[in-house]
Amino acid sequence: MTPRAIAARLVPLAALGLAVTGCGNTASDALHDTAGHLASLHSGRLALRVTLGTRDGHQVGFAITGPFSLARSAGLPVADLRYVRVDGTSEREVSHIVSTGGQAYSVASDGARPLPAAAVAELRQPGAGAGLGYLHPDTWLPDPQLSSGPTLAGVRTDRITGRADVVALFDDVLPLLTRGTAGSPLAGSDADLLRRVVSASSVTVDTGHDDRLLRSLDIAADLGRQRAPAGSPVAGLDLVRMRIHVGIDDPDGAISVAPPAGSSVASAARG
């Protein structure tokens, strides 16, 4: 999958939980309220980081950061997103996409160029109104615990933590990272195998104390109990430590992105 495709499919992560409702008082209530708004999409400032690490400490993965405002239909988002590749201790920016909502650009050290039609099509958000309603974090934690969370970007949060139901978690998260749509759930022997392979797992959710809007999500899973057989849906995962972090600042805030310097539109505006 190209950085452009990953950015297109993971941008909706930044819009998790943007509607306001009353807040529950228990961990289950808080998680349910937060999960209940995942279908609402709008805007924010994204900090997404996904890494897979081996037992020797080597990590590979990627990070996507920047402001965005999702299109309400199959249009272009407003976004300024940087894609960084992680390999060991090295982190290298490999893609910088700017979309004004009307035009999209690839930005490099030698200037900005409009994306070709095929690439623009990758960034469009068909069915954006459906949001991330197929994610169900309230099913990930069988026994959630509630405590006071950190103050994030000036917002008081509550923290929900617990050991994950790995089948429910992987059913939601793996399709998001690979295809951007929900897939067939793991069941039967495949689900049993995943439970045997995962040696540790946890989920941490920081949600607004007053609005129950997701501000931060951390997922950790260590896969190492036994080697999964070749051909299994979880083959090769037994040597992996998976870490996913999603941070969302200024949810539903106003986002405006100008054409990048050096683009024809920016040049015309200066002229």
Side-chain angles (χ1 to χ4, degrees), residues 55 193 196-198 223-229 237-239:
R55 289 195 181 102
L193 179 58
R196 292 197 302 270
V197 168
V198 174
L223 301 101
R225 283 186 174 170
Q226 66 181 51
R227 176 170 294 278
L237 293 182
D238 58 322
L239 298 178

Side-chain angles (χ1 to χ4, degrees), residues 27 144-150 157-161 205-207 209 212:
Q145 304 297 312
L146 184 66
S147 62
S148 296
T157 70
D158 291 329
R159 174 162 286 182
I160 307 162
T161 59
V205 176
D206 291 326
T207 183
H209 177 79
R212 289 297 181 246

Side-chain angles (χ1 to χ4, degrees), residues 14 46-47 54 58 89 92 95-96 102 106 112 118 126 131 153 158 172 195 202 208-209 219 221 270-271:
L46 172 67
T54 59
H58 187 79
T89 59
R92 181 172 61 90
S95 182
H96 181 189
S106 175
D158 291 329
D172 280 357
R195 293 187 184 99
S202 66
H209 177 79
I219 297 170
R270 287 196 300 271

Side-chain angles (χ1 to χ4, degrees), residues 6-271:
I6 292 173
R9 292 165 181 171
L10 293 181
V11 162
L13 280 169
L16 296 173
L18 297 176
V20 177
T21 64
C23 302
N25 295 320
T26 70
S28 295
D29 289 339
L31 190 57
H32 177 76
D33 290 345
T34 303
H37 306 300
L38 298 186
S40 298
L41 302 175
H42 190 200
S43 61
R45 298 182 182 276
L46 172 67
L48 168 69
R49 186 179 180 89
V50 178
T51 59
L52 300 176
T54 59
R55 289 195 181 102
D56 63 6
H58 187 79
Q59 290 189 24
V60 296
F62 63 88
I64 298 176
T65 60
F68 73 95
S69 180
L70 295 177
R72 295 293 186 178
S73 58
L76 283 173
V78 173
D80 186 347
L81 297 174
R82 297 175 184 268
Y83 174 97
V84 172
R85 181 173 296 156
V86 178
D87 189 355
T89 59
S90 172
E91 298 193 9
R92 181 172 61 90
E93 183 177 306
V94 295
S95 182
H96 181 189
I97 302 297
V98 172
S99 175
T100 65
Q103 179 64 278
Y105 305 86
S106 175
V107 182
S109 58
D110 59 350
R113 297 177 177 82
L115 289 177
V120 170
E122 287 188 79
L123 284 176
R124 294 189 183 277
Q125 301 294 315
L132 292 176
Y134 59 87
L135 293 180
H136 310 97
D138 50 338
T139 69
W140 299 350
L141 298 177
D143 185 24
Q145 304 297 312
L146 184 66
S147 62
S148 296
T151 298
L152 300 175
V155 176
R156 179 186 175 190
T157 70
D158 291 329
R159 174 162 286 182
I160 307 162
T161 59
R163 180 181 173 87
D165 177 331
V166 294
V167 173
L169 174 64
F170 276 66
D171 276 342
D172 280 357
V173 171
L174 287 184
L176 176 67
L177 297 179
T178 56
R179 297 190 303 279
T181 57
S184 300
L186 289 168
S189 60
D190 292 331
D192 291 339
L193 179 58
L194 180 61
R195 293 187 184 99
R196 292 197 302 270
V197 168
V198 174
S199 57
S201 63
S202 66
V203 174
T204 300
V205 176
D206 291 326
T207 183
H209 177 79
D210 296 318
D211 57 23
R212 289 297 181 246
L213 310 186
L214 184 73
R215 273 16 187 246
S216 180
L217 169 66
D218 286 282
I219 297 170
D222 292 346
L223 301 101
R225 283 186 174 170
Q226 66 181 51
R227 176 170 294 278
S232 164
V234 292
L237 293 182
D238 58 322
L239 298 178
V240 168
R241 291 178 172 175
M242 182 184 75
R243 301 292 185 266
I244 299 174
H245 170 76
V246 183
I248 304 169
D249 285 343
D250 194 22
D252 212 16
I255 300 296
S256 178
V257 173
S263 68
S264 58
V265 175
S267 299
R270 287 196 300 271

